[in-house]
Amino acid sequence: MIKTQISYLDLKPLNDRFAQEDLKTFREIYSSGKFIGGEWVTQFENEYASYCGASHCIGTGNGLDALTIILKAEIALGNLPVNARILVPAHTYIATFLSIAHAGMQAILVDVEALNLTALAIRQVNQKYDAILVVDLYGKLVEDEVYAFAKANSVNIYCDTAQSHGATNDKGVKAGSLAKASAFSFYPTKNIGAIGDAGAITTNDLELANMCRKIANYGRESRFINDVIGVNSRLDPLQAGFLSNRLPQLDADNKKRVEIATYYYEHINNDKVQLLSQDFLKNSVVHVFPVYVNNRKAFIDYLEAQGIGTSLHYEVPPHLQKAFKAFNHLIFPITEELHRTEVSLPCHPLITFEQMERVVHEVNGY
Ligand SMILES: Cc1ncc(COP(=O)(O)O)c(C=O)c1O
């Protein structure tokens, strides 16, 4: 029997679902002659703020800029000192670290217990810090206890929500309205992705929202008056329009991801392939479905030979990257083990039941 290929993620069919609307959006924007800012951007910002339950949404060029702009805005407002010490999980994508470096701040790295930063891990930190930057990795919300800890200790907390669009806690509060400010990426592979780079900041703090908007737009108060040192990182109207076309589909897509992940939990049964505890499915939109395998290269090659695509999240942790030489001597055993053994299985909204069955069958056959 010839086995059909199951790709890790194929952006073409995912985006083809919106082709007609996107072409209409493109024609409308093209003929409007207005290519920076304008009604498309405002419309998506309003829709996304309302979706997240946040008062404000500020479109940015990408997720890394969204994070960096939040931190820079807090310095400009005097809410964080220049050189602020930011508590951050060692287990994340490098962008989280980069935003701290770009804002001229210092990262204080903390190992995780299993995936995300926890209140328990934060309580054990004995270095001083000025704020906390958490990450909803793989689409799983950081536990409520972390926000409660920050509140109880009057510490500002920000969230890298680049992977958790639509994730909701037990009280129905969504990613984007749990932290003081949150940074989203709409990189094409995200649960809601643009057709290029795009990002956004959400917050309930009007002053912070205004400062973020200003910094993202050259630090400008009005056309020729610049108050602060800004950057050029605005959400492109075309991407805003494409994102508006995709937003109504996000909840259904997230639901499908959780269904696939639940099926994997129920049926993957192989001592050589470890899963996170099933708690991973709680308050999660499963942006990534991770499994952990010793000698992962052999596992990846085996799945490849069975026609199943995989991905890595990630290969080398940020603190061991050459770019962060100052951290290279640090040891975070859990983060390092997770990075050494992680393999991501296909988990996207277009996977069919037969494909899910095949993924499980091949994983169990390893
Ligand atoms: C956890 C995390 N943070 C930040 C980013 C940065 O987003 P972007 O690629 O849009 O700059 C990403 C995206 O790749 C991410 O996964």
Side-chain angles (χ1 to χ4, degrees):
M1 189 182 79
I2 298 173
K3 291 180 174 176
T4 52
Q5 180 72 29
I6 301 175
S7 51
Y8 175 70
L9 182 67
D10 186 351
L11 292 178
K12 173 91 171 61
L14 276 168
N15 284 289
D16 277 348
R17 299 180 296 168
F18 309 101
Q20 294 309 317
E21 287 168 273
D22 285 352
L23 290 171
K24 184 167 169 278
T25 299
F26 176 79
R27 272 190 226 103
E28 285 175 10
I29 295 179
Y30 187 85
S31 47
S32 78
K34 187 148 182 13
F35 306 132
I36 301 287
E39 63 182 293
W40 299 92
V41 174
T42 307
Q43 183 182 323
F44 177 69
E45 287 177 340
N46 290 340
E47 289 167 356
Y48 200 64
S50 147
Y51 176 82
C52 296
S55 319
H56 313 280
C57 172
I58 302 98
T60 60
N62 55 66
L64 170 58
D65 285 355
L67 280 166
T68 311
I69 290 166
I70 291 170
L71 298 177
K72 286 185 171 177
E74 286 291 62
I75 298 177
L77 291 169
N79 295 331
L80 286 179
V82 177
N83 294 325
R85 293 154 301 192
I86 309 292
L87 210 66
V88 68
H91 189 226
T92 184
Y93 179 57
I94 196 165
T96 324
F97 278 40
L98 287 173
S99 68
I100 297 171
H102 287 313
M105 298 177 171
Q106 306 167 49
I108 309 276
L109 314 185
V110 188
D111 207 355
V112 295
E113 286 181 72
L115 175 67
N116 287 334
L117 210 51
T118 52
L120 183 67
I122 297 175
R123 274 197 210 96
Q124 285 160 6
V125 173
N126 46 27
Q127 284 168 279
K128 283 201 166 149
Y129 54 89
D130 302 295
I132 305 173
L133 172 54
V134 290
V135 185
D136 294 336
L137 206 64
Y138 304 160
K140 157 100 176 149
L141 285 187
V142 163
E143 62 181 21
D144 290 339
E145 289 80 356
V146 170
Y147 293 101
F149 171 90
K151 194 170 176 206
N153 291 279
S154 306
V155 181
N156 283 327
I157 182 163
Y158 311 96
C159 191
D160 180 339
T161 46
Q163 303 186 355
S164 60
H165 322 75
T168 308
N169 75 6
D170 289 345
K171 296 188 192 105
V173 185
K174 279 217 175 91
S177 57
L178 285 155
K180 183 174 186 193
S182 304
F184 288 92
S185 164
F186 301 112
Y187 185 82
T189 59
K190 301 302 191 214
N191 290 23
I192 169 171
I195 313 185
D197 276 311
I201 295 163
T202 56
T203 177
N204 288 324
D205 184 318
L206 175 62
E207 206 186 15
L208 181 55
N210 288 340
M211 185 55 80
C212 288
R213 194 175 288 289
K214 194 184 280 191
I215 290 179
N217 190 19
Y218 288 110
R220 108 189 168 187
E221 174 63 31
S222 58
R223 191 162 171 210
F224 297 114
I225 302 297
N226 299 68
D227 281 2
V228 287
I229 295 183
V231 295
N232 175 2
S233 184
R234 300 173 292 221
L235 177 60
D236 185 286
L238 280 169
Q239 301 304 343
F242 299 148
L243 287 166
S244 285
N245 296 340
R246 283 154 181 71
L247 189 55
Q249 183 62 32
L250 177 58
D251 284 342
D253 280 3
N254 284 342
K255 189 163 170 270
K256 185 75 203 283
R257 285 172 181 272
V258 174
E259 278 166 18
I260 297 163
T262 306
Y263 183 86
Y264 286 167
Y265 269 92
E266 283 167 358
H267 295 90
I268 291 179
N269 180 9
N270 180 337
D271 290 347
K272 285 179 273 178
V273 181
Q274 300 299 315
L275 308 187
L276 292 170
S277 89
Q278 199 149 349
D279 178 63
F280 173 59
L281 297 182
K282 196 173 160 244
N283 311 134
S284 174
V285 289
V286 196
H287 171 60
V288 166
F289 187 89
V291 297
Y292 299 89
V293 189
N294 273 317
N295 188 7
R296 69 175 160 194
K297 170 130 189 5
F299 179 63
I300 293 167
D301 290 348
Y302 158 83
L303 285 182
E304 175 85 35
Q306 313 310 316
I308 294 175
T310 56
S311 186
L312 293 182
H313 295 85
Y314 300 89
E315 197 163 347
V316 180
H319 71 279
L320 296 180
Q321 299 281 358
K322 252 204 214 155
F324 284 108
K325 275 205 188 67
F327 298 140
N328 286 178
H329 67 287
L330 299 174
I331 300 167
F332 299 108
I334 300 175
T335 293
E336 288 166 30
E337 178 69 0
L338 294 171
H339 274 78
R340 191 180 65 76
T341 55
E342 196 275 342
V343 178
S344 314
L345 297 182
C347 185
H348 62 76
L350 296 186
I351 291 187
T352 62
F353 185 72
E354 288 70 31
Q355 289 175 324
M356 261 157 55
E357 277 185 315
R358 257 218 29 233
V359 171
V360 166
H361 177 76
E362 305 299 3
V363 168
N364 287 345
Y366 174 63

